[in-house]
Amino acid sequence: MVHIDPFDVSDEAIDYSKLIKEFGTQPISSIGNLPNIKHFRRGFVFSHRDFDVFLNAIKKGDKTSIITGINASGSLHFGHKWTMDLVIALQREFNLPVLLTISDDEAYVTGKVKSQEEALENSKLIAAQLLALGFNPNKTKILVHQKYTKIYNLAIKLSPRCTMNEIKAIYGFDMSRNPGQWFYPIIQAADILLPQELEGKHHVLVPIAIDQDPHLRLARDIAERAGYIKPATIHMKFLRGLKGGSKMSKSKPGSAIFLDEDPKKAVKLCMQALTGGQPTAEEQRRLGGDPDKSVVIEYLGAHFIDDDNEFKKLVDDYRSGKILDGETKQLLARHVESFLASFQPKVEEYKKDIDSYLMVD
């Protein structure tokens, strides 16, 4: 049985239609006229809560914004980039302000880093990487909890709006958890509701992977009780790990390509990625490959081939045996190496003055 929560995802194959029922969300297909963005066109976004309400607010000219976040356990990887690319596309499509929160405190209280100092250094790296991905600096705020400690005041303000029983029911915590972990869900709710606290009541969208949905459930409940508008959310499918499994993850060695990886080493990782091919080249030419099984095809479609017709041709050629696994791996490797070679110098430039981009008390 697949286990999914904000702190752990088991490595079995995921049936996303079952998750919609289990989490009580709505299929994204229930909404017509979705944004013309690759993530929607290709089914990378599969579920939502009130995304239709958010889109209607944009259509009416009501105030809207986006918030999403990341854990500060280390460098971003291509799985994170996948979600952030969607947020950037939405920001550009609708000219939306974006708040990016980096949870250095969560990394510390859950033991993902050894010290708060390490979490802060990771946060600064992540902030530079986020900006280098293409967020508009003039319409993007970045919040690191050690730098913007007012978030804790908001968490205290919100804490009477829920009970320990609710946290236990949503997260499954028991008394083996430390107090920081018990309080952290309220800090997450504060992150999600901060745009309305600072800018007044308005419609907020939170793009996330489905494992983070418990944070949204709690934040939506608290929002209703505290007089905010319930935040909407869209759920991304996980980007599978290099060798398969449920997701690319920092905690699963060998499953991820990190954005600070040496480009030459990244090429080698690409050549080790899972494919959907046959045991021999001759058999693959005759029988074709399975593009749904191939992580290589998945990565190419998620990150590098934006044109739908071009991607369809790649998939069809792979399925028919016209393209072999070695060719798809080499194509992915070239794209990854080129991306990292141009991306990493941008990160270094942002790191020089990163404190100027962070929210402060």
Side-chain angles (χ1 to χ4, degrees), residues 65-242:
S65 69
I66 296 179
I67 174 177
T68 194
I70 196 75
N71 179 274
S73 57
S75 168
L76 298 180
H77 54 59
F78 274 87
H80 301 124
K81 175 184 176 295
W82 200 26
T83 300
M84 295 304 164
D85 284 346
L86 171 59
V87 181
I88 292 168
L90 287 167
Q91 182 181 57
R92 291 174 179 172
E93 179 78 12
F94 300 113
N95 194 33
L96 294 172
V98 171
L99 173 62
L100 302 171
T101 65
I102 304 175
S103 303
D104 53 315
D105 43 9
E106 191 232 353
Y108 178 65
V109 300
T110 58
K112 295 177 181 178
V113 295
K114 295 180 180 179
S115 68
Q116 290 174 292
E117 291 77 15
E118 180 185 354
L120 183 57
E121 286 304 305
N122 288 346
S123 298
K124 291 182 177 182
L125 168 62
I126 291 168
Q129 290 176 328
L130 290 169
L131 291 167
L133 284 174
F135 282 99
N136 181 348
N138 297 320
K139 294 190 73 70
T140 303
K141 294 180 179 179
I142 301 178
L143 185 159
V144 177
H145 291 161
Q146 286 189 61
K147 289 288 188 177
Y148 189 79
T149 58
K150 288 181 181 178
I151 197 66
Y152 299 116
N153 291 333
L154 180 55
I156 293 296
K157 176 182 175 180
L158 298 175
S159 62
R161 305 293 183 175
C162 76
T163 67
M164 297 291 280
N165 283 334
E166 284 180 275
I167 293 175
K168 182 178 180 180
I170 292 173
Y171 292 89
F173 286 173
D174 59 32
M175 297 309 291
S176 66
R177 300 274 181 169
N178 66 55
Q181 290 173 293
W182 275 92
F183 190 64
Y184 180 71
I186 307 300
I187 301 172
Q188 274 285 295
D191 278 348
I192 294 166
L193 299 176
L194 183 64
Q196 295 190 69
E197 179 73 8
L198 294 179
E199 304 293 338
K201 289 172 62 174
H202 65 278
H203 292 275
V204 176
L205 176 67
V206 191
I208 53 172
I210 191 66
D211 60 330
Q212 300 301 304
D213 188 68
H215 295 319
L216 264 296
R217 288 169 53 196
L218 181 63
R220 282 167 59 86
D221 288 345
I222 290 174
E224 191 170 38
R225 297 164 190 163
Y228 303 103
I229 296 173
K230 282 186 174 184
T233 186
I234 48 178
H235 300 112
M236 296 277 291
K237 293 180 179 178
F238 296 117
L239 193 71
R240 289 181 295 161
L242 279 165

